[in-house]
Amino acid sequence: MITIGIEGTAHSIGIGIVEDKDGSCKVLSNMIKTYRPEKGGIHPREAANHHVAHVADLINEALKTADISSQDIDLVAFSQGPGLGPCLRTAATAARALSLKLERPIIGVNHCVAHLEIGRGMIPDCTDPVLLYTSGANTQVIAFAEGKYRVFGETLDIGIGNCLDKFGRALGLPFPSGPKIEQYAKQGERYLELPYSVKGMDIAFSGLLTAALQYHTKHKRLEDICYSLQETAFAALTEITERAMAHTEKQQVLLGGGVAANQRLRDMVSLMAEDRGAEFFVPEKSVCVDNGAMIAWLGFIMYQSGVRMELKDTIINQRFRTDQVKVSWRD
Ligand code: ATP
Ligand code: FE2
């Protein structure tokens, strides 16, 4: 069965085409186009206009790369939430139009759950992980427990990616700033004290961001600030992930989201897993970031488990919570 997935929760519009191969996910194509504001943060309506302008071409490109025709598609999936309203509506509208035109079923999926399921779908040994999902807007620790995907810990203010990007923007670093901060951090020599905010299994970054910016105002070495920022934030993320693993008694940890590209974060979480005798997994980068393939894959496993949606069920949900999803494909 071939599924097309349309991702459009924030600044990227992604089209992925996947095929089911004996229960695991084969990505046939996965195209992404990202809206980059000239300056400042993203404006939801402008990001949505960007998605409108590119979605049709991207679908054609994805079909071409996958070397299939639109008639080969069996199912249309899209990101139903959480995310920015205008962006979500654009992806949903494109999905509805495609579903009607091709006369194929449509499934709306939860973006956060898709980050976890793509790991399970693409890494055969990864069956029941705790997911540390770290992206721009999101920072959550998610695991399956008692019939649902539950959020065991999350950010109380901004996502870790936003924290890095805001720090970078204030210093005039290019957007997204995560990769640049990682490079500077490698040259860090001195740890500068920063606030460490873990509250139970939750986490906060704004105090850390403010303190890091203050070091910059005081002309501390940029490399040392970046190093200290990473060490502090990633240690906190690793700690809440470990707590969720201990609490759920799970023996696997999976990374997802754009910040999972960071080698220092990978090293810290992988060391923690090793200490616990647990397995560590990270999917390839193209499916870690926001992408259409993960949306397609979750749509497929939902459909396969019997989920069906009418057009009236495809209304977007900006605040779609991870634990609102009825998980019919696992027990
Ligand atoms: P969301 O999934 O919350 O809608 P998003 O679209 O911003 O957010 P992604 O594309 O998954 O999410 O991730 C983008 C984020 O990843 C940016 O904040 C970027 O700075 C960060 N990032 C990318 N590479 C690295 C890296 N090497 N180190 C740290 N952060 C990184
Ligand atoms: Fe995401």
Side-chain angles (χ1 to χ4, degrees), residues 9-11 111 115 133 135-138 161-162 164-165 176-179 182 257-259 261-262 288-290:
T9 54
H11 55 57
H111 173 96
H115 274 291
Y133 166 34
S135 66
N138 293 293
N162 272 163
L164 298 171
D165 294 338
S177 304
E182 178 173 20
V259 185
N262 189 289
C288 263
V289 297
D290 288 352

Side-chain angles (χ1 to χ4, degrees), residues 41 55 58 71 105 112 115 129 134 146-147 167 274 277 288:
V55 67
L58 215 52
Q71 286 306 315
C112 305
H115 274 291
T134 52
E146 291 158 33
F167 178 77
E274 202 182 305
C288 263

Side-chain angles (χ1 to χ4, degrees), residues 115 118-119 122-123 254-256 260 266 281-288:
H115 274 291
I118 192 67
M122 294 196 63
I123 309 171
L254 172 72
L255 295 187
R266 290 179 182 206
F281 301 107
V282 47
E284 60 180 81
K285 183 160 184 242
S286 60
V287 292
C288 263

